[in-house]
Amino acid sequence: FATTHYVQAFKEMDKKSPFHFVYNEPVRAYIDAYIVKNPNKVSRMLGLAELYYPLFEETLDRYNLPLELKHLAIVESALNPHARSKSGATGLWQFMYRTGKIYDLNATSYLDDRKDPFKSTVAACEYFKYLYEMFGDWQLVLAAYNGGPGNLLKAIRRAGGKRDYWEVRPFLRKETQSYVPAFFAVNYFMNHAADHNIYPTKPVFLGYELDSVIVKKHTNLRTLASVLQMDYE
């Protein structure tokens, strides 16, 4: 695609969002990394979005947060609730153990709330609100979410107190320098994948097919499988 296509697409995205979407070389590199090099992964993300995005959108709306933040879970975990990074960040929203505890995501040897799509999405929204109250800019919120608010404050000081993400960016860690361009790229392909002839791979099940059942005592899984008419495995 010609540069003019991307420039126009980002202008249209920017008009409808509190994020300051811009198209530049770092963003283009991530668009290519997804669409050119990993079209099958993009197709899978489009399909999984049909499962997870209704939950994300409902929760973001309840907290009065930008709906575009739903795409951040793709950057974080590729929409895999069991994802775990080398540093120990876990779940759809990649919470570290300590940050998770602050937002009531408890982890034991048997159960990790960070892997719970519902609980972790609420925690992510509470963290987004906290970071926005601190920095007042959505690009900086993204940088703080990735690298921690303390590291971002240090980078702002090194940048002479500037609070424009692109001016602060050179003073951030390399991973955080890549984070906002990756988020912008994901926003692009989740809205324009069809322009590149990429379409969703349907997930195994959809959100409306899910429900919660509270089990109050030891329950045999084969009995559950029979009652729910599900395969035991």
Side-chain angles (χ1 to χ4, degrees):
F1 275 77
T3 299
T4 52
H5 163 81
Y6 294 112
V7 170
Q8 185 59 37
F10 273 79
K11 281 183 179 177
E12 291 300 318
M13 287 163 52
D14 187 55
K15 286 179 186 176
K16 303 171 185 176
S17 172
F19 286 91
H20 301 304
F21 285 116
V22 295
Y23 174 75
N24 53 30
E25 281 307 309
V27 174
R28 175 62 185 264
Y30 272 94
I31 291 174
D32 288 346
Y34 281 112
I35 286 179
V36 178
K37 297 178 182 177
N38 286 295
N40 291 335
K41 183 176 182 179
V42 173
S43 178
R44 187 166 60 85
M45 294 303 97
L46 290 166
L48 287 171
E50 296 179 27
L51 171 62
Y52 289 111
Y53 275 17
L55 164 65
F56 295 168
E57 290 168 352
E58 181 181 351
T59 312
L60 288 164
D61 181 63
R62 193 163 74 242
Y63 280 85
N64 197 28
L65 292 165
L67 295 183
E68 291 86 351
L69 285 167
K70 65 189 177 185
H71 300 308
L72 195 63
I74 289 180
V75 181
E76 286 289 347
S77 65
L79 297 181
N80 175 10
H82 299 287
R84 185 177 175 88
S85 73
K86 292 178 182 177
S87 63
T90 299
L92 287 167
W93 299 99
Q94 289 291 279
F95 274 98
M96 295 294 289
Y97 179 85
R98 186 177 298 177
T99 309
K101 291 286 283 186
I102 293 171
Y103 292 96
D104 296 323
L105 297 179
N106 297 309
T108 69
S109 299
Y110 292 107
L111 185 67
D112 191 338
D113 287 341
R114 294 175 296 173
K115 296 179 181 180
D116 184 309
F118 296 92
K119 291 180 180 179
S120 65
T121 299
V122 168
C125 288
E126 291 178 353
Y127 194 30
F128 292 144
K129 285 190 78 73
Y130 167 76
L131 293 174
Y132 188 75
E133 288 169 5
M134 181 180 290
F135 294 104
D137 177 275
W138 287 112
Q139 283 64 231
L140 294 181
V141 166
L142 294 175
Y145 189 90
N146 175 255
N151 287 326
L152 178 56
L153 288 169
K154 290 177 187 175
I156 289 172
R157 284 198 296 272
R158 292 183 189 127
K162 294 174 181 175
R163 283 184 169 254
D164 176 90
Y165 167 77
W166 297 101
E167 292 183 298
V168 175
R169 184 172 178 260
F171 302 94
L172 295 167
R173 294 184 308 171
K174 284 190 176 180
E175 179 188 334
T176 309
Q177 287 182 22
S178 302
Y179 196 71
V180 171
F183 175 75
F184 282 15
V186 170
N187 273 265
Y188 168 79
F189 76 64
M190 291 303 285
N191 286 288
H192 293 275
D195 295 346
H196 300 264
N197 292 316
I198 301 175
Y199 300 95
T201 299
K202 187 178 179 182
V204 176
F205 46 82
L206 297 170
Y208 66 84
E209 298 174 300
L210 302 177
D211 201 354
S212 299
V213 178
I214 306 301
V215 180
K216 295 185 178 180
K217 59 184 179 180
H218 291 294
T219 304
N220 186 288
L221 287 181
R222 294 191 185 278
T223 303
L224 269 182
S226 174
V227 171
L228 298 173
Q229 297 182 325
M230 291 174 62
D231 181 79
Y232 171 71
E233 293 299 327

